[in-house]
């Protein structure tokens, strides 16, 4: 049991602090003979990387991933894969005040209360920078999934940023990669979102976000009762991302308002002999096991607590203070959560593919 | 790794099917010398038990728990505690049709697609009856918590049932135990909820629910980055409960709409030298670690799929059918989820109390 | 993490005390659709059962196993299997002295020093009776192995009992089941062993034993570097059996005396295109992974500490005393360790079959 | 569950191959505020390092450890500690033949049969070089133990190398660090061992070894029934070391030859009110829990299979060949296993110290 690990058979342990020499992920249990190169992983890291557009932090880290083990001649060997990202942009600065002060809404105070010792530089272990390691690990998971279920697709997008919400009636899967917010709407909408965010930035404020991730093409039968449910693992995976405060599967919290007659996804037999459903209120998971429909996960990210507006707080010695967080911070950390969530989805999905194969092999139940 | 287990040091494994001879929980890692008797556990089981009022299923199971091991002369020994609940109300009946048919919105089809073999009697392993085992295990956790943090209180209540929502302006902690819905409002409100639910029952329908669970008096410092966060484990624990589709901590999904200036919980030093906060948007958890404030978890339960209204489906052989689920089913399974959620909270909290003591002992950080 | 569990994918948790109402095993991760009946498990339990011959304890327990969950219509469902054995022969007696005294060589004192609370009746949790639960779980494992690798055979036998050692030059695989000591030698040898043991019993003494277990027909490729090695898991499995003090793979401790030229198992290509070896010093495992040869594990069991000869000890209050352990005790507990060791081997082998399938599927490496 | 990890609360995952860019250990669960510096770890690595004397391989690796995370201002933070050792001595060479051939007694063939893909350079993941990562992790464990149980001492030494065995009648604890073989005998004995080993080297042969590790000053009460026994975890830890074929606790395999009257460690009350024992056949562990006596573990290392004498084998294509392993290889790998075994003991002991504190706190049982 490592509290910095997740996954059962495909197991990821992340390590590292924001301003230490490096951070990374130790990935164990990957199938052998999967083509993996640093370039393949870099694609996903570049998507998450700060400094790429004016809506995210201006910190400029190349976030170049190195593969230190577990890959030989371009293919995984089945042994642990060590993925390292060196921290290159560690500006020399005076941490005197921040080392003694707790930022409201930040993990500063709880790390201190737990450990009595924290790396206060850039948030240390609690920095969102840790998510780079997840994205690298997710790249490995994606590569392995490709060899197991070639058509499986994983896609994340923003559905809300403060007062801005997407228009589901014009949902455009292809638009997602064509704007800075990963929204499934056109450029005009993205332009509105950008103006909203720049206004917030100028007001020295930040804002929350809602992200949705979909796994399409997942076979039926993945997951396991009762505590290794696919949705249980997905909920834990998303909740573990920095600043996430809620996770939903399918209807999510709205299910509390529904009636049974509204919520039922009726079942038919499709032309290919597989079940098809009249709807997907369940988000592709029944009893913790995938139905073969789209698996739909949604989560909310709180607004970053690192803002330029002064907030009341205390110091380690108990004295009162006011905190203004200067530095390079995203007004909406939710934007960068999109590739992180995709990575977590990929890791959980691969893990359950391997678990299912381990227990069941090719002997799953048939219909028709 | 057992997929039917949860917890790190305090570890619970449940087993059993709805209509088998018995079901139960194997509880490992409980501290020794904790007073535990069947009567102490029965209190919580009776709270969850069906048949207790007209708003839950009419199935009448005494749900009497037996302690088969791990308790000697009324105290835990530190070795595994086996809690068994025999299934006494197994009406003899013909399962012919249900054994061949998949109920829409139910785990029937996914269990079949995964395992090709399922105990179809009463939902088998996927039955909400499994939650009785959690409640028994939660009773053990509560007893152990009492010896470690005597003032700690865990309380769950409904906040929504379909169109009915609680009135937070008249929130009454003491009212919770005085009505059939565990709502923190007065008898008049409970009466309205009951009328609403009875109308649904007559309409052969069911409805979803939202439940909130609070842990009050939890010490600061519990939880651990990054994948063993207190909120990560709570999210997994609640999502593992049957029919749960969403989990929130503090502001939850609403955090997506908030600005940083609104969301910050400002910090002050209280009279007792401990931090106090101006608000609790965080739900008592920062960076995965408890702040010492109330830990607030909320989740949504979908409406039960077992309804008397006909729904379209298929059989194992692929043929089309219509399903009406007769039998004894709650129109709102969310009501019984309240004691289950309390039990899950108790188990997670105890687990993190032990984890913290294991890694940190008495050397946590101090303020002031 | 449960300290009363073992296995990765096929995971067994045992529970129960010698003189409580029952003991058993919670078995999770078994493949579905494996034929399992109580009768199939009973065969192995009867082999371990005390009272079957005059060389083991005279306690007469039917050790009847009940399957409480996870098996439906004679086949496993893939969900947790609860195996319960009720304790029927709990003679009423006065435990006054034994409850206050620590038997030398027994776990009495360490349980007290750890927990400050122990079920002293018949050794409580530390009783060898716990191994009945392993044997039941091993029966499930054997049934699952049969569906995966039909020809795989697991066999244990004694190789030493005090001064008595087997004659390897007349090793007879078929003789093992035909004598009370499970030795691979003829009836004349068994007669000698029996006389030796009866003399020890009359002298109020007990004796140690050495047991060897072989898995024949295991495919090459099972196991995993570095801490999930097949031999690592086997060593842990055997060391977890009561009274075991040493574990060997292949040459075992004798490897310390060998030269590299003596120890090398030379490799050839067999007629069926698979590797064959000139010898099996390695015990069928190289680098933690099976070679396809016989996997050979050997272990030593200490003499039972429960003897009629007086031994010096202390009481809980620190006062000096002399202990004579009356009651029904095996003069050589090693005899009953044979079916237990077979069960542990079966569980570990099945676990690694599933792990291998999970990570590798059908894509293992080929020779030729 | 990671198969490249060990430990429950103090959890170590190693990664890396012999000839990749680096190898290391990810250490999770260490208590915070433990003083740790690279220099402190380097002491232990230097002890294990090849090239230090003429009895070990001539490969010259500085084995300099870098701490990439989890330590801040010289103290552990409680978050994952990443220990990296770069591989600097990677001689460019032609691996053509070795990449196609399986060395007898080596993991070459089983890695190929499992994964179909292996890093054949220097043994890849199966190289003894992996043990450097364990030694670094063990250094962290030692530092943490020092803060918890200051007087606890862990010491390993050789007890046998082929025909050479130590003289226990002149056992000298202080001599261990004063000779190249870590033997507890004087310089004259070490001289005999050296001559024996040099003769073997000249004969192009290698030899096995037996190592004993002692933990002195361990408190009573560490360990846990039934599958998390202290001896179970120690057996797994030692068996996981490369080339180990047998593990013993206390009397070990010799227990099979003992009678109950001989084996009993009688108990008395010592002057300090703690139990003392007349002997230590049990090796300091009863029922899986420490007694407070010396914990004594012994294990055997097989002779290295990499020898200059030709041995028959096959290639990947199935063709026959003869293998001579040139290169820099220890004639007795057992020598370097001494610091590795100490490291494993330290990791297991720390893990059980934390586990015990987690479950029991300060409430262990008392005597007198």
């Amino acid at each position: 049991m490592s509290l910095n690990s997740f996954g059962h058979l495909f197991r990821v342990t992340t390590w590292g602090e924001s301003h230490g020499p490096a951070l990374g992920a130790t990935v164990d249990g990957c199938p052998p003979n999967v083509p993996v190169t640093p370039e393949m992983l870099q694609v996903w890291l570049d998507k998450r990387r700060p400094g790429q557009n004016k809506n995210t932090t201006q910190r400029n880290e190349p976030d170049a991933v190195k593969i230190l083990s577990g890959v030989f001649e371009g293919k995984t060997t089945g042994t642990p894969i060590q993925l390292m990202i060196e921290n290159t942009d560690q500006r020399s600065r005076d941490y005197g005040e921040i080392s003694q002060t707790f930022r409201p809404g930040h993990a500063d105070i709880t790390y201190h209360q737990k450990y009595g010792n924290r790396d206060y530089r850039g948030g240390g272990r609690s920095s969102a920078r840790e998510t780079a390691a997840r994205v690298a690990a997710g790249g490995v998971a994606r590569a392995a999934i490709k060899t197991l279920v070639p058509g499986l697709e994983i896609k994340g997008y923003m559905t809300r940023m403060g007062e801005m919400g997407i228009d589901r009636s014009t949902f455009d899967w292809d638009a997602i990669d064509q704007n800075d917010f990963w929204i499934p709407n056109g450029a005009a909408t993205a332009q509105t979102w950008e103006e909203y965010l720049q206004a917030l930035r100028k007001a020295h404020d930040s804002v929350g976000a809602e992200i949705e991730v979909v796994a399409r093409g997942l076979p039926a039968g993945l997951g396991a009762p009762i505590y290794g449910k696919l949705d249980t693992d997905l909920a834990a995976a998303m909740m573990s991302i920095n600043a996430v405060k809620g996770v939903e599967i399918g209807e999510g919290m709205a299910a509390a308002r529904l009636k049974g007659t509204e919520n039922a996804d009726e079942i038919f037999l499709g032309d290919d002999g597989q079940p098809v459903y009249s709807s997907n209120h369940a988000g592709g998971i029944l009893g913790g096991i995938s139905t073969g429909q789209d698996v739909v996960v949604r989560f909310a990210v709180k607004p970053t607590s690192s803002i330029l507006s002064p907030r009341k707080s205390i110091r380690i010695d108990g004295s009162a203070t006011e905190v203004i967080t200067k530095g390079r911070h995203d007004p909406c950390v939710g934007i960068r959560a999109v590739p992180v969530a995709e990575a977590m989805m990929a890791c959980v999905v691969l893990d359950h593919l391997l678990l299912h194969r381990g227990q069941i092999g090719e002997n799953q139940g048939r219909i028709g």
Side-chain angles (χ1 to χ4, degrees), chain A:
Chain A
M1 179 196 59
S2 160
L3 297 175
N4 286 276
S5 302
F6 67 97
H8 306 276
L9 283 185
F10 181 78
R11 191 152 174 87
V12 176
T13 305
T14 72
W15 54 272
E17 282 83 39
S18 174
H19 284 60
L23 51 78
T26 311
V27 178
D28 199 12
C30 187
N33 298 303
V34 175
V36 170
T37 63
E39 294 72 28
M40 288 167 62
L41 308 183
Q42 201 62 45
V43 172
W44 308 110
L45 279 160
D46 289 348
K47 194 171 168 183
R48 191 210 76 98
R49 190 159 65 87
Q52 60 184 354
N53 70 44
K54 64 181 164 304
N55 295 313
T56 53
T57 163
Q58 299 308 303
R59 176 171 170 169
N60 191 2
E61 294 273 11
D63 274 359
V65 63
K66 289 185 182 173
I67 301 175
L68 298 184
S69 69
V71 176
F72 183 60
E73 298 178 343
K75 291 189 177 178
T76 58
T77 59
T79 59
I81 302 167
Q82 185 57 254
L83 304 170
M84 182 175 73
I85 299 161
E86 285 165 298
N87 291 322
T88 54
D89 184 22
Q90 305 161 48
R91 294 193 198 170
S92 172
R93 53 170 290 196
D94 173 19
Y95 287 99
E97 180 60 15
I98 207 169
S99 73
Q100 299 301 313
T101 308
F102 306 125
R103 288 167 287 176
H106 211 277
D108 293 339
I109 190 167
T110 51
Y111 270 62
H112 173 79
Q113 286 180 303
K114 184 174 192 77
Y115 299 117
N117 182 12
R118 69 188 168 94
D119 181 348
Y120 44 74
R121 300 167 305 165
R125 180 73 181 143
S126 74
S127 167
R129 192 155 165 63
E130 182 268 346
T131 58
R134 306 177 187 228
V135 172
V140 174
R142 281 181 187 268
I145 289 171
K146 206 172 213 169
T147 68
L148 293 168
V149 187
L152 201 154
E153 192 177 5
I154 290 168
K155 196 91 180 170
Y157 43 88
M158 286 185 82
T159 50
R160 172 162 300 281
M161 179 177 66
E163 296 166 29
M164 301 291 107
I166 62 162
D167 178 358
R168 288 198 183 256
S169 71
T170 62
F171 193 105
D172 181 358
W173 190 262
D174 296 326
I176 295 170
D177 288 325
Q178 293 173 13
N179 63 75
D180 287 350
F181 296 96
W182 322 106
I183 52 172
N185 287 152
T189 309
Q191 180 62 28
T192 320
W193 286 45
E194 181 161 342
E195 287 159 12
Y196 173 74
L197 193 64
Q198 293 310 326
L200 278 168
R201 185 198 289 274
K202 278 172 200 153
H204 292 177
D205 214 336
S206 62
V207 73
E210 186 185 273
I211 289 98
E212 197 166 278
V213 202
V214 173
R216 180 165 290 175
L218 204 66
L222 300 195
I226 299 286
Y227 305 105
K229 285 174 174 166
L230 184 57
D231 34 359
T232 298
D233 282 359
L234 284 170
M238 298 309 162
M239 193 61 94
S240 76
I241 300 173
N242 306 47
V244 171
K245 301 304 287 184
V247 181
E248 302 186 312
I249 307 290
E251 283 290 342
M253 297 304 293
R257 295 172 185 266
L258 290 180
K259 289 189 284 189
T261 45
E262 296 163 339
N263 188 60
D265 302 315
E266 293 185 303
I267 316 175
F268 304 87
L269 201 70
D271 296 337
D272 63 349
Q274 291 303 302
V276 292
Y277 294 80
S278 62
S279 51
N280 190 11
H281 297 285
I285 303 175
L286 286 173
I289 302 172
S290 63
T291 62
Q293 294 175 276
D294 283 4
V295 170
V296 182
V297 182
R298 210 174 309 104
F299 62 92
V301 179
K302 70 176 181 181
T304 180
S305 51
S306 303
I307 49 177
L308 277 164
S309 302
R311 282 293 168 273
K312 292 198 164 61
S313 187
I314 59 174
R315 297 193 188 84
I316 287 181
D317 63 11
S319 61
T321 184
E322 279 212 336
V323 176
I324 297 175
T325 308
K326 294 173 189 164
R328 305 152 295 176
H329 295 285
D330 291 0
C332 179
V333 286
I335 303 173
R336 290 207 278 141
V338 173
V340 178
E342 290 179 343
M344 296 307 282
M345 174 70 94
C347 290
V348 172
V349 162
L350 175 60
D351 191 27
H352 277 279
L353 282 167
L354 301 182
L355 279 172
H356 181 82
R357 183 164 70 175
Q359 190 186 8
I360 315 286
E362 299 298 320
N363 308 310
Q364 69 266 32
R366 315 287 173 182
I367 290 176

